[in-house]
Amino acid sequence: MRAPGRAERIADAGPGPGIAPVGAVPGDLTRLQILRSLGTGLRGLTEAEAGDRLARYGANTPPALRRPSWPLRYWRGLRDPFTTVLFCLGLVSALVASWGTACVILALVTVSCVLRVHGEHRAERAGAGLRALVAATASVQRRDAPGARPRVREVPADDLVPGDVVRLAPGDVVPADLRLLRARGLTVQQAALTGETAPAPKHPVDAPDAADGPHVCFQGSSVATGSGTGVVVATGADTRFATVGADPRARGRERGPSAFDRSVHGISWILIRFMLLTPPLVLMADAVLRGRGLATLPFAVAVAVGLTPEMLPVIVTTCLARGASLLARAHGVVVRRLPALHDLGAVDVLCVDKTGTLTLDRPTVDPDRTDPEALHWAGVAAWWTLQSAELPDPDPLDEALLEATGPEDWEAYDGIDALPFDPVRRLATAVVHGDGPGGGLPPVLGPRRLPAVHTLAVKGAVPEVLERCALGDAERARLLVRAERLAADGVRLLGVATARRPARARAYTPADERGLTFQGFVAFHDAPADTAQDAVRELAAQGVTLKVLTGDHPATAARICRDLGIEPGEVVLGADLAGLAGPALAERAAGATVFARCTPADKARVVTALRSRGHTTGFLGDGVNDLPALRAADVGVCPRDGVDVARESADVVLAEKDLTALGHAVAAGRTGSAAIASYLRITLSSNLGNVIAMLAAGLLLPFLPMLPAQVLVQNLCFDAAQLSLAHDDPGEEGRRRPTVLRPRAFLRFITGFGALGALADLATFGVIALVLPGALGEADQAGFHGGWFTENLLTQALVMLLLRSGGRARTPVRAAAAGLAVVGVLLPFTPLGPFLGMTAPPAVFYGLLALVLGAYAALLVLLRRRPVRARCRAARP
């Protein structure tokens, strides 16, 4: 069967009379066939046709991310394990008519959800303030009516439609996917799509063999040099810009549980099992030993609440929201997803895209590998090509040449003519006259004042320049080998040559670029971002391993790594990863530092492989080609000037062009994580000790060791004091290491210190029995309750100071601990004491209690300083 030809594909292209739908235009049609299939011509559309197509195809905007509704945001907040358990305990409390407990628990759940939703909404608003359009306006050729002359006009890029004829000039952002109709010296920066820093030459191809090539300019790229005219073939969601991130082959695996989910949720479910087991155990023990049965149900619920870190959602949200607010104000970092700040603190591997993140996305002359004479003539060629050809702006290489030279190089000559860069010739030539710096005036020839000689200053691709030089084969081969050696060191080269020709009045042509004298090479390297080296050094000091994932040349990637103090090692190419999967891929990803020639899917696979090895992995990228990796990482980071869709996909946005802000964000994440770990360590150790003592007392005493209202008041006082931990500082040591909460080691920690707290409680029971003999019987229950309530709050004040992260506690923590101790001592003396079923113990009790607390504090300090505590410090940052 004969394959369908172009004519058949045009006929089948779309529903309209000869007009193909967006994205359905075959890429290998000739220019005339493309125009016919789109129902347009070289003169462009009429305004009426453009309006009809805008209504038909929609605005030229990338598909927006759907914002979750407010009810959905609250529902996501309730899905936190502890929040869910608290909600269930509140309902159980209501069922057993413990209305005070139920109201307080449900209030905590509400506050936690409100804080989380408000923080994320505020971050979303800040991110919206950074959003920029892909292209604000476009130069479009349209007609007012079918017979009218076409006029070039500026229209909003959103109003472009398939079939529009668009003109491009240097500095323009390509507003839609275009098929080129005409071009002159056109080169396009498309690093956001491909990761390559070198501008890509673009020119029309009458009969291309593929939809992707030099004849197509994609939305989101920018014009570096030259000019061109193209017809719009795709807009909105059908552009390459919009579809790269949606390509299922480029997505990789969906992001699994983040570091925050794995750490906090792992601990949560271990404790939830304890909490679910505790009430039945209390009920059964009381039924067997005391015959109280369901009468102890409120106490059993209170015991479960006592074991629950009910303020965890509030503490987590408060710590992260405070850190995010400080980052936004002080360092211009917008945290769009609050748990991402915790993930940043836990990051131990950060993958970065090179172009536009570690580098400035523009070249710089490398003086160590550049021939001085070649640099002089290259500067002359750049300046006078720009002036004589009346180009509006220099391209990145010419801009680097003009920065490396100066007026003393250019102004010693007068420009005669110029042959701008042509992607086919790959050369640019300036024709000048003059004797150069320090030279004399040219002589007079004939009736016109003409110099005796014109000088051609030629620069361009090395093979093309050498081909036009008067060199022997051996010398040309030697220079090509030298150029290959320099290129292998990660630099880009221009060849520079000159020729002296008799002065003439007629124009110069490419045929004059022959018999040249080779002057040497000009070498360029990517300029590192101003703060990149400081950021790399700071991240290394924080224990973060950097890996570079780029679509650029391997030598270029290795060179920028060496410039920044990163040892590149063996560079892995994206093609080398194609046959790897599972453990083999993970091992290769963990062992290499630089990955070059990576596709978007390659980047996502490397990130996913690193996460599979247990690394908390971040990704810093700014282009469309970085979208899959941003989505696959534990936390995605995007600079302010990244493309719009990359900023929308990132968890963290750097609002300032300062990479050291990333180090500050990591430190803030570790500070918040340390506060969360401190809360968990303090509250769970204390609560577990109290529960153990409560269960033991419940089995030994003829009355409830602590009334449900007393449990609730004690927990409220303790939790309110622990809100101060959000203002604590773990110190430099705490910020130097990634923060990871390992459930098993964490459980060993709280079990050990919880048992120590239970011993202190049991010692207190002995003191109470000594000073109040009737307190262990039903005669003086209020005295027992008052003494144990005081001891509980005092021991909780001690663990706030001694089990927290870092060195000396900050003033808010010390003040909160002192306030908690004061409440514990004074509350039984107030009218609220009898109301809660407590009376103040005698004065001698406080003296003996001080001895117990002194011994308890000494043991806490001793155990924290023992070397074996390293096994139990998984909750520490």
Side-chain angles (χ1 to χ4, degrees), residues 22-47:
V22 180
V25 179
D28 57 349
L29 303 182
T30 67
R31 283 175 283 181
L32 181 58
Q33 290 168 335
I34 281 284
L35 293 172
R36 287 177 177 172
S37 69
L38 291 169
T40 186
L42 292 174
R43 302 173 68 195
L45 301 172
T46 65
E47 289 291 348

Side-chain angles (χ1 to χ4, degrees), residues 629-704:
L630 284 169
R631 293 167 177 166
D634 284 293
V635 55
V637 185
C638 180
R640 171 189 61 184
D641 51 0
V643 297
D644 187 67
V645 68
R647 288 199 307 274
E648 290 293 333
S649 297
D651 303 303
V652 177
V653 178
L654 307 181
E656 302 295 335
K657 190 67 173 180
D658 181 2
L659 288 181
T660 59
L662 192 56
H664 294 300
V666 170
R670 292 182 181 177
T671 298
S673 298
I676 296 169
S678 290
Y679 170 76
L680 285 171
R681 186 167 50 251
I682 291 167
T683 194
L684 293 178
S685 298
S686 177
N687 287 0
L688 182 60
N690 284 345
V691 168
I692 294 173
M694 201 178 299
L695 292 175
L699 299 177
L700 298 175
L701 298 176
F703 55 86
L704 294 180

Side-chain angles (χ1 to χ4, degrees), residues 107 115 149 222 247 306 330 336 369 373 389 394 404 417 511 536 557 572 586 599 637 693 704 735 740 747 756 821 846:
L115 285 174
R149 293 175 58 85
S222 60
D247 185 355
R336 301 183 65 247
R369 293 170 173 79
E373 191 68 13
D417 200 358
V536 168
V572 176
T599 65
V637 185
L704 294 180
R735 287 189 287 268
V740 181
L747 187 59
L756 182 60
Y846 296 98

Side-chain angles (χ1 to χ4, degrees), residues 397-420:
L397 291 182
D398 282 349
E399 190 172 1
L401 289 171
L402 296 178
E403 288 179 359
T405 56
E408 65 276 6
D409 292 288
W410 323 321
E411 293 176 355
Y413 304 92
D414 289 327
I416 299 296
D417 200 358
L419 301 173

Side-chain angles (χ1 to χ4, degrees), residues 79-158:
R79 289 189 303 178
D80 175 88
F82 271 124
T83 305
T84 303
V85 170
L86 279 176
F87 187 78
C88 294
L89 287 175
L91 293 180
V92 172
S93 299
L95 290 176
V96 297
S98 183
W99 301 110
T101 303
C103 291
V104 171
I105 290 176
L106 295 178
L108 290 175
V109 170
T110 303
V111 168
S112 172
C113 291
V114 168
L115 285 174
R116 179 174 297 181
V117 170
H118 175 69
E120 293 182 356
H121 176 65
R122 183 172 58 183
E124 203 169 80
R125 287 172 52 194
L130 299 172
R131 192 173 300 115
L133 293 175
V134 173
T137 61
S139 298
V140 181
Q141 185 172 289
R142 285 182 182 171
R143 296 168 291 153
D144 294 326
R149 293 175 58 85
R151 291 189 301 112
V152 177
R153 63 200 73 186
E154 292 291 318
V155 302
D158 292 357

